[in-house]
Amino acid sequence: MIHFSKPDPEVFLLAAEKLGLPPEGCLVVEDAHAGIEAGVNGGFMTAAIGDARDDPRAAYHLENFSDLLKI
């Protein structure tokens, strides 16, 4: 169902559509810089973890998944 890979936001836009939510109502959690770029390009809030944790484009920078509870 996906024709374009990250950093194209297609995968996230399709997921939001399937959930019936607008991009601004979703949070993309990514460990890759291309995923953060895709989320930002699609109009999503983004949380970076792992290799992408220090990506300045992310709204949140997570040490581990439990940090999601603080958002």
Side-chain angles (χ1 to χ4, degrees):
M1 296 176 63
I2 303 298
H3 298 99
F4 303 102
S5 60
K6 301 170 194 169
D8 190 285
E10 180 185 25
V11 66
F12 298 132
L13 292 169
L14 180 61
E17 179 183 321
K18 297 274 186 193
L19 291 169
L21 296 170
E24 59 272 9
C26 302
L27 177 68
V28 168
V29 179
E30 261 292 338
D31 67 345
H33 293 281
I36 295 296
E37 183 177 347
V40 170
N41 288 344
F44 296 85
M45 291 294 292
T46 57
I49 195 167
D51 290 342
R53 188 184 53 172
D54 295 327
D55 194 311
R57 299 169 292 185
Y60 302 99
H61 306 273
L62 311 175
E63 291 289 326
N64 53 59
F65 280 110
S66 66
D67 289 342
L68 286 168
L69 299 172
K70 300 173 187 173
I71 296 175

